[in-house]
Amino acid sequence: MEAMFTNLGIGFTEVFKLQAVTIAGVSMTLPFNILMCLIGVILGTLIGVLPGIGPVATIAMLLPVTFNLSPIAALIMLAGIYYGAQYGGSTSAILVNLPGESSSVVTCLDGYQMARRGRAGPALATAAIGSFFAGCVATLVVAMFAPPLAEVALKFGPAEYFSLMVLGLVSSVVLASGSLVKAIGMVILGLLLGLAGTDVNSGVLRFSFGLAEMADGIGFFTVAMGMFGIAEIISNLEQKEHREVFTDKVSHLWPTADDFRRIFGPILRGTIFGCCLGILPGGGALLSSFGAYTIEKKISRNSREFGKGAIEGVAAPESANNAGAQTSFIPLLTLGIPSNAVMALMIGAMMIQGIAPGPQVMTERPQLFWGMIASMWVGNLMLVLLNLPMIGVWIKLLTVPYRILYPSILVFMSVGVFSISNQPFDCFLMALFGLFGYVCVKLECEPAPLILGFILGPLMEENLRRAMLLSRGDPFVFISPSKPISLGFLIASALLLIVIALPALRKKRDEAFAGEEHG
Amino acid sequence: MQRLLLLLALAGAVAPAWSQAWPARPLRLVVPYAPGGPVDISARLLAARLQQGLGQPVVPENRPGAGGNIGVDLIAKGPADGYNLVMSAIATLAINPSLYSSLPYDPLKDLRHVTLLVQVPNVLIVRPDLPAKSVPELIALGKSRPGKLDFGSGSTGSTGHLAGEMFKMVTGTYMVHIPYKGSAPALADMMAGRIDLMFDNLASALPSIKSEKVRALAVTTRKRTDFLPGLPTLDESGLKGFDMTTWWGVSVAARTPQPVVDRLSAEILKAMDSPDMRERLRGMGSEPPAIRTPDHFAAFVAAELKTYTGLVRRSGAKVD
Amino acid sequence: MKIKSPRDFWAGLMFIAFGLFFLLVAQFNYQMGSAVRMGPGYFPSVLGAILAVLGGIVLFNSFLIAGTPVPKFHFRPVIFVLISGLAFAYLLKPLGLVLATIALVFISAYGGHEFRWKEVAILSAVLVIFSVVVFVKGLTLPFPICPSFVEICPIR
């Protein structure tokens, strides 16, 4: 414990260190590292708000700039971009129903509904507060338990991941607020769409229809922008009476005392949940926001409000995804294993700075290691200080007439999706998914379960087939006592399935009887 | 006078790029992969440097898809004006022609290969608790337990996979190939003891080797590597002639004029030879390649293409 | 038999269509393999079949359980919004970011309820400046600003 405080002391000294720098020929003494952190989080927030331009592309583009910085300044800035984007992503999700990041898909569900009911302010504040709390806790977790948690992460093999995905899929059904069967259908359709592209195991191109552009499958942004963004714009445009969708409905900016009471538990649980899943390199952080939402929806007293603007539905996933974003640094810092594309880039940034990532960083370069951890805390503080006053500005944005707002959103979406592979095809696909999303709105089929299936499908198949290969085809590998984690997840899935199915079955029976009486 | 100026300006605007000294406008450097990988990072390093030498911006453009084939095809079929460059690599020039059932370009006829940038050795690593401490011991272990050992790789048809197939072939062992999405998850599974061995490129494996989370048995190049001088080569360990590296470089369309290719090659080499650039690339596991002329690079590509065509056929790997 | 829930009726048909589509494409093109060594066709076939069955359940239920009718489709916003996005995508490389953005704004604005020339013109000017400054200059996206036939672009 004491050692940790000493270490954090080293880190904070490093972060606030005054350095002599020369900018444009003028030499001056500045707390340079902290400045880089500020630039990082501002930039991160910006790209998080802009749909389609993710942290991966931004960090890649900024890499050449970081060559002239010291390793610590470079890493602090890049990390700032990463978690800054998590904050920014929730802003566009709440304001205009655009998930800027895969983890903000769930935030759309209730955040956007809150905005539609004039409660964008409390939603944004909740997201910022929840993220800040989660960020602080998760940073402490990274500082205190990084090495033992990395060992836990290694316990997860293909079998464990597959079972975790199954649990994730079962719980995804809870995301839907309407018909259960249709929600399952959408999950499966999402799984199928996720399979398009080159099969990892055999190299066969599936569902690509001879198009070279489809060889790498369908991009997440393409589907999310289409089904959430475009479909929403079309739906809004058809409503004559709601021309100015949000105007003059904005009541207050800050959550009420009742709101605070309601978000306390969800933030706490979301944080714990996010911290746990974030350490898993194989897609854990991705699941954390979905999982946190599911838990709240099942245990909350206001579960009927979920999907219609429940503040818990913003607090839990936002806390979880930010906690996960911080703890996903653990595999990188302790094992040298990146848990996602951003982390892979951080490894690249370290390597060209001449640092081999891995456990030796902690002992060989304590300033760098602890400086980075300290910077995460400082960065989170900056983000919350930056985002809370910004809420007023964002709310103003909603008073802009919709006829001005939607062409602007379309420009940002199109630029973002085009930039993924710099060719028109992705925009074509986005339009196609926009049309499909509009049809789904008409048929009351919800897009969130589809998106989750889409993300999990390839991961699930890959791990299933790898587990089968490794066990030479033993199907009991998932439930053998030698794999207690996998077994536990599958039991939990089965229990959850029963919990979900029981009330639905009862309701259906009632409806069927009611239908007969009337028919 | 004004009209004359306007005319001049118009003439300047429509005159073909050729009448001016190359380069007269920004260059495009196509990276046929998503942002963030080692090829992308080195392209961005190079672009920033090259700009100083050429006096024109060099803009990296990611065109991912089909294992890099889409981006390379774009340049192979594009204008041969020296303004369109592509990051070509062992995958797109030597492996994919036989791995993919149909490739839209011919790596030798449609492209002019300018400079080899990076050559990274592969290393043979095993999980730390595997009883084999050397290559001969590993071969013996593989022979005593046919079909029991698992070897991982970053993807089907990657150099890691093909090196493993080559190893199986020359040693007469049988091991099961477990493909992953990138070598990082494979490394994680190896640290946890779920897979037994893999051929990984030095840059990604080095941290885990240094921290003894995995054990290196040999390097796949003909000569030992500076990074791990104590590590024997496969050639020394009894597999005569085993020589595989992961490499990438810069190519342009085939009919690009020779003076442009020469200038480009000279400028790229100048950029690569600068001490800070060397330092950065060394961080990525690359030693400066010995191949320094366009013709030499082209001959190297042709030789590699031949090697890997045979190897892919025999491994049975296929993408279509 | 009377359709009591048109929304479920069509949703059921949609699921059946998608399910059969994936099932058949997988069956005819990819190897199934076995449960031990699953081929590329295994997962999509199983999932396609499940989806078709689920679709069947939804379809069946639509005859039993009363639901709401399918709301009217509005083709004007659909057409203009989708075309504006496509126009941007396919015009960006040949005509450059400036003209592609203008095209997107004008076409999409035409899909709305009121179209005011002056307002749309100002909006597109603002968005053009924003895109050039933020995306091309700031984030260095490799987009051409001017049409490809203009050899020397005034904005560099």
Side-chain angles (χ1 to χ4, degrees):
Chain A
M1 204 63 181
E2 217 168 283
M4 189 193 77
F5 284 117
T6 326
N7 287 330
L8 279 180
I10 298 175
F12 280 110
T13 326
E14 187 67 27
V15 172
F16 289 105
K17 195 171 69 180
L18 292 172
Q19 283 160 290
V21 284
T22 313
I23 298 168
V26 188
S27 12
M28 48 190 129
T29 310
L30 287 173
F32 191 65
N33 291 341
I34 201 93
L35 272 178
M36 284 298 119
C37 185
L38 183 66
I39 294 176
V41 295
I42 292 178
L43 199 63
T45 309
L46 173 75
I47 56 141
V49 172
L50 291 174
I53 307 218
V56 180
T58 313
I59 293 178
M61 283 181 252
L62 276 175
L63 268 186
V65 183
T66 65
F67 302 151
N68 306 321
L69 303 173
S70 69
I72 172 102
L75 290 177
I76 284 180
M77 184 177 91
L78 297 181
I81 294 176
Y82 173 53
Y83 51 78
Q86 308 282 336
Y87 275 72
S90 52
T91 306
S92 50
I94 291 169
L95 292 176
V96 287
N97 201 31
L98 274 182
E101 288 298 314
S102 50
S103 50
S104 7
V105 169
V106 255
T107 311
C108 284
L109 298 180
D110 280 282
Y112 182 63
Q113 292 308 323
M114 280 181 76
R116 296 191 76 164
R117 291 161 56 181
R119 282 171 45 80
L124 288 168
T126 302
I129 296 166
S131 297
F132 176 65
F133 177 80
C136 292
V137 173
T139 305
L140 270 181
V141 169
V142 176
M144 290 167 77
F145 307 115
L149 284 180
E151 292 302 315
V152 175
L154 281 185
K155 296 256 186 299
F156 276 70
E160 284 79 8
Y161 275 117
F162 172 75
S163 303
L164 178 65
M165 304 295 159
V166 171
L167 181 58
L169 277 186
V170 172
S171 56
S172 72
V173 175
V174 180
L175 289 175
S177 42
S179 153
L180 197 66
V181 191
K182 281 204 267 185
I184 300 174
M186 290 300 270
V187 171
I188 296 196
L189 186 53
L191 286 170
L192 283 165
L193 289 170
L195 297 182
T198 310
D199 171 35
V200 177
N201 287 54
S202 63
V204 170
L205 287 182
R206 289 184 296 188
F207 308 108
S208 65
F209 311 108
L211 297 166
E213 289 89 345
M214 286 283 289
D216 292 339
I218 305 168
F220 162 78
F221 279 125
T222 317
V223 181
M225 296 294 135
M227 297 214 49
F228 281 86
I230 301 238
E232 180 63 28
I233 288 177
I234 298 175
S235 309
N236 278 333
L237 286 181
E238 70 178 25
Q239 293 164 346
K240 275 217 163 59
E241 62 276 27
H242 292 300
R243 245 173 294 170
E244 325 279 83
V245 187
F246 304 110
T247 6
D248 64 59
K249 280 199 290 182
V250 180
S251 46
H252 46 266
L253 297 183
W254 199 245
T256 60
D258 182 48
D259 288 337
F260 274 114
R261 240 191 332 273
R262 284 175 60 179
I263 63 178
F264 180 76
I267 287 181
L268 205 64
R269 285 185 290 270
T271 302
I272 297 169
F273 200 70
C275 283
C276 296
L277 283 181
I279 60 169
L280 301 177
L286 213 63
L287 273 176
S288 67
S289 56
F290 286 96
Y293 183 90
T294 309
I295 294 178
E296 291 309 320
K297 190 171 176 182
K298 270 291 137 193
I299 68 173
S300 170
R301 250 175 290 151
N302 308 311
S303 62
R304 279 175 182 281
E305 249 185 75
F306 274 71
K308 301 183 191 85
I311 198 162
E312 294 93 336
V314 178
E318 278 303 308
S319 317
N321 91 46
N322 208 44
Q326 312 285 330
T327 52
S328 61
F329 277 91
I330 289 180
L332 170 78
L333 291 171
T334 55
L335 302 172
I337 287 173
S339 38
N340 54 40
V342 177
M343 293 297 134
L345 262 177
M346 299 285 286
I347 286 196
M350 286 167 117
M351 289 203 297
I352 48 178
Q353 293 274 9
I355 305 162
Q360 66 279 6
V361 176
M362 207 191 300
T363 47
E364 282 170 17
R365 314 188 66 143
Q367 277 96 350
L368 181 90
F369 183 86
W370 294 104
M372 211 165 127
I373 289 177
S375 85
M376 288 185 201
W377 190 82
V378 178
N380 271 289
L381 183 67
M382 285 179 182
L383 278 166
V384 79
L385 292 180
L386 205 72
N387 274 279
L388 289 181
M390 279 295 280
I391 292 176
V393 181
W394 292 125
I395 301 287
K396 283 269 171 358
L397 193 75
L398 288 184
T399 58
V400 172
Y402 199 66
R403 62 174 192 278
I404 303 282
L405 204 53
Y406 80 82
S408 319
I409 300 171
L410 274 173
V411 168
F412 299 146
M413 284 200 300
S414 304
V415 167
V417 169
F418 193 94
S419 73
I420 294 170
S421 48
N422 290 303
Q423 55 176 7
F425 184 75
D426 289 313
C427 284
F428 169 75
L429 269 185
M430 173 174 79
L432 210 61
F433 275 102
L435 183 63
F436 177 62
Y438 181 65
V439 172
C440 286
V441 170
K442 295 288 172 196
L443 299 181
E444 269 184 328
C445 295
E446 287 158 85
L450 180 134
I451 299 262
L452 185 59
F454 178 79
I455 297 171
L456 291 184
L459 288 172
M460 198 168 151
E461 188 199 15
E462 195 189 320
N463 282 300
L464 170 65
R465 286 167 67 180
R466 189 172 300 137
M468 295 307 263
L469 262 179
L470 281 171
S471 70
R472 304 291 185 270
D474 175 12
F476 296 104
V477 66
F478 302 103
I479 51 170
S480 83
S482 64
K483 295 225 174 356
I485 302 176
S486 169
L487 181 64
F489 282 143
L490 288 180
I491 292 175
S493 312
L495 289 178
L496 185 61
L497 206 59
I498 296 170
V499 171
I500 297 170
L502 274 182
L505 283 178
R506 212 175 298 140
K507 197 172 125 226
K508 179 167 291 163
R509 208 185 47 207
D510 294 347
E511 274 172 11
F513 282 134
E516 265 162 40
E517 276 163 31
H518 291 294
Chain B
M1 186 62 197
Q2 262 184 343
R3 190 168 295 172
L4 189 71
L5 275 179
L6 192 71
L7 263 176
L8 275 176
L10 270 179
V14 292
W18 274 121
S19 59
Q20 295 139 16
W22 179 89
R25 54 188 168 91
L27 281 77
R28 171 167 84 144
L29 176 58
V30 167
V31 180
Y33 308 99
V39 178
D40 178 66
I41 292 175
S42 48
R44 287 170 198 282
L45 281 168
L46 175 70
R49 272 267 155 192
L50 205 52
Q51 187 159 346
Q52 295 166 12
L54 291 172
Q56 285 287 349
V58 179
V59 186
E61 180 177 325
N62 297 92
R63 293 295 298 261
N69 296 348
I70 290 181
V72 174
D73 185 48
L74 198 73
I75 295 304
K77 304 277 165 62
D81 55 5
Y83 291 98
N84 294 282
L85 286 52
V86 66
M87 296 296 292
S88 52
I90 181 169
T92 46
L93 298 186
I95 298 176
N96 291 1
S98 44
L99 186 65
Y100 282 74
S101 56
S102 64
L103 198 71
Y105 58 89
D106 182 319
L108 300 179
K109 288 192 189 120
D110 293 341
L111 290 161
R112 181 88 171 94
H113 305 296
V114 182
T115 314
L116 182 63
L117 293 181
V118 166
Q119 245 185 319
V120 187
N122 289 332
V123 281
L124 168 58
I125 48 178
V126 297
R127 66 182 157 92
D129 51 344
L130 197 77
K133 300 262 185 283
S134 67
V135 175
E137 282 179 37
L138 179 69
I139 298 171
L141 187 72
K143 288 204 166 137
S144 69
R145 285 150 71 178
K148 288 280 190 285
L149 293 183
D150 298 307
F151 80 100
S153 84
S155 73
T156 300
S158 64
T159 47
H161 173 204
L162 295 175
E165 294 294 342
M166 174 96 123
F167 183 84
K168 277 164 66 175
M169 216 159 60
V170 289
T171 59
T173 48
Y174 176 64
M175 306 181 294
V176 176
H177 175 225
I178 316 281
Y180 286 79
K181 254 185 179 162
S183 60
L187 265 175
D189 265 5
M190 176 175 280
M191 288 179 196
R194 275 180 287 266
I195 58 173
D196 303 298
L197 66 149
M198 77 184 272
F199 288 85
D200 195 9
N201 82 59
L202 182 67
S204 84
L206 198 57
S208 319
I209 296 172
K210 287 223 163 123
S211 60
E212 293 174 356
K213 300 261 181 205
V214 301
R215 191 188 318 128
L217 295 188
V219 61
T220 60
T221 42
R222 190 66 71 87
K223 280 198 311 206
R224 290 190 180 203
T225 162
D226 284 357
F227 293 92
L228 297 163
L231 191 66
T233 65
L234 276 176
D235 183 81
E236 287 170 41
S237 313
L239 306 179
K240 285 277 162 255
F242 203 107
D243 188 9
M244 288 177 109
T245 57
T246 303
W247 49 263
W248 56 90
V250 174
S251 301
V252 292
R255 275 190 294 280
T256 306
Q258 190 60 34
V260 171
V261 172
D262 289 340
R263 169 91 197 278
L264 199 55
S265 164
E267 290 293 344
I268 295 174
L269 283 175
K270 208 167 82 191
M272 302 299 287
D273 286 343
S274 68
D276 70 317
M277 190 78 172
R278 281 243 169 127
E279 194 54 41
R280 310 262 185 235
L281 291 175
R282 216 189 120 72
M284 296 168 65
S286 169
E287 289 155 28
I291 294 162
R292 294 180 66 91
T293 64
D295 289 340
H296 195 171
F297 183 27
F300 174 72
V301 171
E304 290 279 286
L305 178 64
K306 212 172 144 205
T307 309
Y308 283 96
T309 305
L311 201 50
V312 173
R313 294 259 156 77
R314 269 172 289 182
S315 79
K318 198 107 207 88
V319 175
D320 52 9
Chain C
M1 280 300 248
K2 211 177 109 222
I3 300 169
K4 286 186 183 164
S5 174
R7 271 181 155 168
D8 283 356
F9 176 78
W10 290 107
L13 280 188
M14 182 178 85
F15 285 149
I16 293 173
F18 272 116
L20 289 181
F21 169 77
F22 280 101
L23 176 65
L24 292 178
V25 171
Q27 283 292 321
F28 282 111
N29 294 298
Y30 316 125
Q31 286 172 353
M32 273 297 271
S34 60
V36 177
R37 243 194 123 83
M38 287 178 209
Y42 195 90
F43 219 61
S45 300
V46 172
L47 287 177
I50 296 177
L51 184 59
V53 171
L54 281 174
I57 296 174
V58 174
L59 187 70
F60 181 73
N61 278 344
S62 76
F63 292 101
L64 296 180
I65 303 166
T68 43
V70 182
K72 196 175 153 258
F73 273 79
H74 291 72
F75 288 101
R76 186 182 163 96
V78 174
I79 290 167
F80 282 96
V81 168
L82 296 188
I83 288 194
S84 73
L86 293 178
F88 177 87
Y90 287 92
L91 292 179
L92 182 57
K93 279 287 159 93
L95 291 188
L97 183 59
V98 174
L99 294 179
T101 306
I102 294 174
L104 185 154
V105 174
F106 271 87
I107 299 172
S108 66
Y110 201 70
H113 298 290
E114 20 181 353
F115 183 87
R116 303 176 192 170
W117 271 98
K118 226 168 152 187
E119 200 178 80
V120 178
I122 295 169
L123 178 63
S124 50
V126 171
L127 286 172
V128 162
I129 294 167
F130 183 91
S131 304
V132 170
V133 171
V134 172
F135 294 123
V136 181
K137 299 290 153 193
L139 294 169
T140 63
L141 295 184
F143 291 174
I145 296 172
C146 295
S148 55
F149 51 80
V150 177
E151 199 62 49
I152 295 160
C153 182
I155 317 163
R156 289 281 292 269

